[in-house]
């Protein structure tokens, strides 16, 4: 029986060695595949980065073209269109001085915007609400005045004569 046990032990050792070899080979294959996947992932990452960079460049170029087009369109607006645009914006957003910026009165637009923002900050005290209401009233009145003037009168008064208030 001892020979049988010895043969059985040798067979078990051989099977264990075969299992170890198979496990080592499988581990090597898995490691090789993992390296291949890693290399593929790195390559895909590089390609994605290049594509994102190209897309960002194209988006930047499109935004620049749109901006240039919008500036050109705004600069080509005739006196009548500025009258209507300034009048409507004066009525709707007059407290913020948008209508002043449209007509090129940046200082006066900044004054309205600054007073309105100050009024918004002071609205917790109560007096700010009145300030915001008054700047909105200025915009409303100016918007109505712009829209009720004839095109020629508007052009002569606000674009040639540069009358900044009322």
């Amino acid at each position: 029986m001892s020979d049988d046990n010895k043969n059985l032990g040798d067979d078990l050792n051989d099977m264990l060695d075969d299992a170890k070899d198979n496990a080592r080979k499988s581990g090597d294959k898995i490691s090789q595949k993992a390296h291949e996947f890693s290399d593929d992932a790195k390559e895909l990452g590089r390609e994605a980065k290049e594509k994102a960079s190209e897309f960002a460049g194209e988006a930047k170029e499109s935004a620049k073209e749109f901006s240039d087009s919008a500036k050109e369109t705004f600069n080509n607006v005739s006196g009548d269109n500025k009258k209507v645009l300034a009048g409507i914006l004066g009525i709707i957003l007059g407290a913020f001085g948008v209508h002043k910026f449209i007509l090129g009165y940046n200082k006066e637009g900044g004054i309205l915007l600054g007073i309105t923002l100050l009024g918004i900050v002071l609205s917790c005290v109560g007096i700010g609400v009145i300030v915001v209401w008054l700047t909105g009233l200025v915009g409303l009145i100016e918007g109505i005045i712009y829209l009720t003037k004839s095109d020629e009168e508007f052009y002569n008064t606000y674009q040639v004569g540069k009358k900044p208030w009322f």
Side-chain angles (χ1 to χ4, degrees):
M1 287 260 255
S2 69
D3 283 337
D4 286 338
N5 286 339
K6 187 176 178 187
N7 286 339
L8 185 59
D10 289 341
D11 287 344
L12 286 175
N13 282 334
D14 288 342
M15 287 174 49
L16 184 61
D17 288 341
D18 288 343
K20 286 180 184 177
D21 286 342
N22 287 337
R24 194 174 300 115
K25 288 177 186 175
S26 295
D28 290 344
K29 286 181 183 178
I30 289 171
S31 177
Q32 182 182 2
K33 288 292 183 186
H35 286 295
E36 289 174 10
F37 285 140
S38 174
D39 292 342
D40 289 347
K42 287 178 184 176
E43 181 63 29
L44 287 174
R46 280 190 286 272
E47 289 176 10
K49 185 177 179 180
E50 289 173 12
K51 294 287 183 186
S53 179
E54 289 175 18
F55 180 75
E58 291 172 4
K60 207 180 234 186
E61 185 177 319
S62 294
K64 175 91 170 98
E65 289 173 6
F66 179 77
S67 173
D68 292 344
S69 174
K71 285 178 185 175
E72 182 179 329
T73 300
F74 181 75
N75 290 333
N76 291 334
V77 172
S78 67
D80 181 42
N81 287 341
K82 277 192 178 181
K83 176 184 110 168
V84 172
L85 182 62
I88 291 172
L89 288 175
I91 292 170
I92 296 172
L93 298 172
F96 297 101
V98 176
H99 60 294
K100 296 290 188 185
F101 292 113
I102 294 295
L103 294 175
Y105 301 135
N106 294 334
K107 182 176 76 173
E108 290 80 4
I111 290 169
L112 276 176
L113 180 61
I115 291 171
T116 299
L117 292 177
L118 180 66
I120 290 171
V121 170
L122 293 176
S123 65
C124 62
V125 179
I127 194 164
V129 175
I130 296 169
V131 172
V132 172
W133 184 81
L134 288 174
T135 56
L137 185 62
V138 168
L140 176 68
I141 292 169
E142 287 186 335
I144 292 170
I145 290 172
Y146 295 164
L147 292 174
T148 56
K149 289 193 178 281
S150 68
D151 293 342
E152 184 178 331
E153 189 178 9
F154 176 82
Y155 180 77
N156 288 332
T157 305
Y158 298 105
Q159 291 183 306
V160 174
K162 294 289 185 186
K163 182 180 177 188
W165 299 102
F166 298 104

